[in-house]
Amino acid sequence: MSGDGHEAVRSPMVATVVALMAAHGDVVRAGQVLVVLESMKLEHEIAAPSAGVIHLVHVEVGATVAEGAPLVVIRPSRVGDDAGAAAGSGRDAGGDALSVPGSAGDAGGEVAAPSGPSAPLSASAAPSAPSAPSAPSAVRADLAEVLERQSRTGDERRPAAVERRRRSGHRTARENVADLCDPGSFDEYGSLVLAAQRGRRSLDELIAETPGDGLVGGLGRVNGAHFDDERARCVVVAYDPTVLAGTQGFKNHQKKDRLFELAERLRAPVVLFAEGGGGRPGDTDVVNVAGLDLTTFAQFARLSALVPLVGIANRYCFAGNAALLGCCDVVIATEGSSIGMGGPAMIEGGGLGVVAPEAVGPMDVQVPNGVVDVLVADEAAAVAVAKQYLSYFQGPLAAWACADQTLLRSVIPEARLRVYDVRRVISIMADEGSVLELRPSFGLGMVTALVRIEGRAIGVVANNPTYLAGAITSDGADKAARFLQLCDAFDVPVLMLCDTPGMMVGPDVERTALVRHCSRMFVVGASITVPLITVVLRKGYGLGAMAMAGGSFRSPMATVAWPTAEFGGMGLEGAVRLGYRKELEAIADPVEREALFQKLVGRMYEHGKAVSMATYFEIDDVIDPADTRRRIIGALRAAPPVPVRTGKKRACIDPW
């Protein structure tokens, strides 16, 4: 403000004048645009700081002005906001002549000529003339284009593709993602990406037929109602089988690479919906020979043991899609699915005959052989299991309930040779509704399950006495060892429920490379650092019992037994037959021989039963089965806190 009360409007930067929106003598209101400047290819509107009359215009269109240079001078007046209606007229809103400096009515008699045009520059004369602000809800042309393109990626604009999925009894990729993620939490990446086929298709066709290049991916929250945002965040990658059969294209590889990098940076789990036919040969906008110059598979594999990886297979999952699926910690598949490292076209191309897609890797093959961890009825059930699986790695739950623990006192029969169901032991011991068993149809002599006890996630490894009396086979050892790796990688403590006569023996089982497979339990068990607790339910014999305790009864934080437990270097019956062979063979009468045999077994049982074992301090204690949960939680509370991880704890989780 100058001494005479006039106010100079100055340039805030070095710029070029591209438009003058007011002239000498014009009445202006506060906030009205006076000058448009251009600096570094951007236009800046300079507005009147207050209402008044233009006294001087110092610049003209095309002039370059310095920072702080005056543009116009305003003589303040009692002009209201409605004065703009008279702008450029030389009169105020009431219609009376204004006393403009330099006019005939000015006492000084001087005329101050404007340095710019005598009238505002027309909108057509300005390179980018400012327009009146739109209403907040108005949709501009640029936004309308984006909204239109976005809408064409959704299910609503693709009714024919959606109907085909409906006829096959399946959901769309977007429906699965919406079911997995908390409402409103999914932020998509690469939604407008198109297949790299511009050399063979029109843009309109690509927009209509290849939305997202067949991949829906982004960041969302899973189980956010129970866990904070950091624990609930999740990377979701879903192949879209309605787009080019869910095949792997050049651009959707780039999208996956971006999302896998985010998973690594954010330490966020990944859920992969893997339905699709593998690599796509039809992308033409890429200069390469074999299409092998990509990082997707290595990048995803490096996430193993860093973040939980969940794979969901539905219907057909072949080649590259199956390779990513197989890298996952857990594979969930729907009934009727077929999984294979090569699809029908690849099989036929290799001269191996014509095979229907459903016959490549059906569930009656991939479930018992261990490829699939959890078999479910449909996609909705698969998503539910994925959410449950992720929850074990997201933290404890405050609310929980459990069965009457005194039921554990009678779950094992008093008759020491009578079989029982170890899964019932687990279900009673665990929090209600918290048991998720993995690979139940593979390695039948071993049970592996994620559970909760007092809201805390725990991994359970249990011998299954209904299969070979709980003897450890090659498949059972592999199943247990990999599960130990999984728990250790993500700091989930382990509970071993031991009831085994030892490692399985005999020529047939040795043909399965038993020596190597069983030794794997010792190597992995000795390498884990999470709290380990062993509870011997009944048989704790030989090398098998030691494998169920991390290699030694001194390895667990607690090695305890139920009153039904019995111990020995090998099964009692076998030990008697081996150790007392001569004595037994010397008795000709079979009845008398059997009587001696049972007497010797009884004597060894008394010596090796749990209470006797505890008197030698070969185990830490014999406990009331009803007290098992309390002892487990007590041991876990005594364990040191889990250190903050800055990288991987283990190099990887073995896919097998």
Side-chain angles (χ1 to χ4, degrees):
M1 187 76 72
S2 63
D4 57 4
H6 291 37
E7 184 172 8
V9 178
R10 300 180 181 276
S11 174
M13 67 198 80
V14 177
T16 299
V17 178
V18 295
L20 291 173
M21 311 304 291
H24 172 72
D26 283 354
V27 177
V28 297
R29 62 182 178 275
Q32 182 176 331
V33 177
L34 306 178
V35 182
V36 179
L37 303 177
E38 181 189 282
S39 179
M40 298 298 293
K41 305 301 181 182
L42 290 179
E43 295 180 357
H44 303 262
E45 296 179 340
I46 309 302
S50 58
V53 178
I54 300 298
H55 178 60
L56 287 174
V57 177
H58 284 285
V59 294
E60 60 185 14
V61 173
T64 299
V65 295
E67 180 179 349
L71 302 174
V72 299
V73 176
I74 298 176
R75 176 172 61 81
S77 70
R78 296 190 301 273
V79 179
D81 284 343
D82 59 347
S89 67
R91 297 179 179 275
D92 66 11
D96 296 332
L98 294 166
S99 177
V100 179
S103 68
D106 189 358
E110 297 178 353
V111 176
S115 59
S118 58
L121 189 70
S122 68
S124 61
S128 299
S131 58
S134 305
S137 60
V139 177
R140 298 175 0 179
D142 52 2
L143 176 57
E145 180 186 16
V146 171
L147 295 177
E148 166 65 15
R149 289 286 295 277
Q150 291 282 11
S151 72
R152 295 183 69 175
T153 68
D155 290 347
E156 298 80 4
R157 295 287 297 274
R158 306 181 66 241
V162 172
E163 178 57 28
R164 286 194 296 272
R165 288 295 284 180
R166 295 285 181 270
R167 287 198 300 268
S168 67
H170 300 291
R171 303 200 296 192
T172 68
R174 292 188 178 277
E175 287 172 332
N176 284 325
V177 172
D179 189 16
L180 175 72
C181 296
D182 298 347
S185 73
F186 181 67
D187 294 322
E188 188 169 355
Y189 283 56
S191 62
L192 298 181
V193 168
L194 303 174
Q197 298 180 7
R198 298 177 194 238
R200 56 185 289 212
R201 296 187 179 199
S202 69
L203 181 60
D204 285 344
E205 184 182 1
L206 290 173
I207 292 172
E209 301 296 331
T210 70
D213 197 21
L215 190 81
V216 179
L219 285 171
R221 291 194 310 275
V222 177
N223 299 324
H226 303 288
F227 306 102
D228 60 35
D229 285 347
E230 182 176 354
R231 290 182 177 272
R233 66 189 174 199
C234 181
V235 169
V236 184
V237 176
Y239 283 98
D240 187 346
T242 70
V243 177
L244 301 173
T247 49
Q248 296 180 330
F250 178 76
K251 289 299 180 182
N252 81 31
H253 273 312
Q254 290 186 331
K255 288 171 66 172
K256 290 191 295 289
D257 290 349
R258 169 67 166 150
L259 292 167
F260 296 161
E261 185 275 328
L262 283 175
E264 182 176 8
R265 188 192 313 176
L266 300 175
R267 301 292 292 269
V270 179
V271 175
L272 169 72
F273 292 88
E275 180 179 352
R280 180 196 311 153
D283 286 358
T284 56
D285 303 346
V286 185
V287 180
N288 60 39
V289 176
L292 302 179
D293 184 18
L294 51 85
T295 62
T296 302
F297 297 97
Q299 194 167 5
F300 189 60
R302 281 197 298 269
L303 294 175
S304 177
L306 179 69
V307 299
L309 303 177
V310 183
I312 297 176
N314 177 65
R315 206 164 180 236
Y316 304 140
C317 180
F318 300 137
N321 296 54
L324 291 177
L325 179 75
C327 292
C328 294
D329 308 335
V330 64
V331 172
I332 305 163
T334 60
E335 293 177 354
S337 294
S338 183
I339 303 170
M341 289 305 295
M346 190 176 295
I347 294 170
E348 184 176 0
L352 301 176
V354 177
V355 179
E358 58 270 14
V360 173
M363 291 301 95
D364 60 2
V365 171
Q366 304 290 31
V367 171
N369 71 10
V371 166
V372 172
D373 292 274
V374 184
L375 181 66
V376 296
D378 52 29
E379 292 160 284
V383 169
V385 170
K387 294 169 78 168
Q388 181 181 354
Y389 178 82
L390 286 179
S391 73
Y392 298 105
F393 309 104
Q394 292 175 310
L397 291 175
W400 53 267
C402 68
D404 179 1
Q405 293 301 289
T406 60
L407 294 172
L408 292 175
R409 292 173 176 169
S410 58
V411 73
I412 295 180
E414 289 187 56
R416 57 179 292 271
L417 300 182
R418 186 66 54 83
V419 77
Y420 67 95
D421 184 2
V422 75
R423 290 182 174 88
R424 176 163 164 75
V425 175
I426 296 170
S427 66
I428 294 172
M429 190 181 299
D431 294 350
E432 291 179 354
S434 75
V435 180
L436 177 61
E437 185 176 353
L438 304 180
R439 293 183 172 180
S441 299
F442 169 72
L444 301 179
M446 198 75 75
V447 175
T448 52
L450 291 164
V451 308
R452 289 185 183 275
I453 294 181
E454 292 193 8
R456 297 183 60 160
I458 294 176
V460 174
V461 179
N463 302 115
N464 178 14
T466 66
Y467 184 80
L468 297 177
I472 299 175
T473 63
S474 291
D475 284 350
D478 282 347
K479 180 178 177 178
R482 183 182 185 273
F483 186 75
L484 291 177
Q485 291 182 12
L486 171 67
C487 293
D488 187 55
F490 303 120
D491 296 310
V492 176
V494 174
L495 170 65
M496 296 280 212
L497 299 179
C498 176
D499 184 358
T500 180
M503 305 296 185
M504 189 60 188
V505 295
D508 289 341
V509 74
E510 295 300 348
R511 293 188 183 94
T512 68
L514 181 71
V515 172
R516 286 288 197 175
H517 291 283
C518 283
S519 295
R520 189 177 179 209
M521 282 193 70
F522 289 110
V523 173
V524 174
S527 72
I528 67 173
T529 62
V530 293
L532 173 66
I533 300 157
T534 294
V535 178
V536 183
L537 305 181
R538 188 146 68 180
K539 295 178 181 177
Y541 294 149
L543 293 172
M546 292 171 65
M548 293 297 292
S552 166
F553 278 10
R554 296 300 181 219
S555 294
M557 289 190 62
T559 302
V560 298
W562 284 4
T564 47
E566 54 188 69
F567 299 86
M570 60 187 298
L572 300 187
E573 289 78 7
V576 169
R577 295 187 192 282
L578 183 64
Y580 294 88
R581 177 181 298 171
K582 290 183 179 180
E583 290 85 342
L584 292 171
E585 289 178 347
I587 302 175
D589 182 3
V591 175
E592 185 180 348
R593 187 188 314 121
E594 179 64 20
L596 176 60
F597 174 76
Q598 292 298 337
K599 179 181 178 181
L600 293 172
V601 169
R603 183 189 303 169
M604 292 193 73
Y605 173 75
E606 286 299 318
H607 182 66
K609 67 181 182 181
V611 170
S612 176
M613 185 79 164
T615 65
Y616 289 92
F617 199 39
E618 290 192 53
I619 57 175
D620 294 317
D621 206 356
V622 183
I623 65 171
D624 179 351
D627 202 31
T628 306
R629 279 173 60 98
R630 189 192 67 78
R631 292 296 294 261
I632 293 169
I633 291 299
L636 296 182
R637 286 174 177 160
V642 176
V644 176
R645 303 292 177 200
T646 57
K648 285 188 180 185
K649 183 180 179 183
R650 303 185 68 91
C652 67
I653 298 169
D654 191 333
W656 188 242

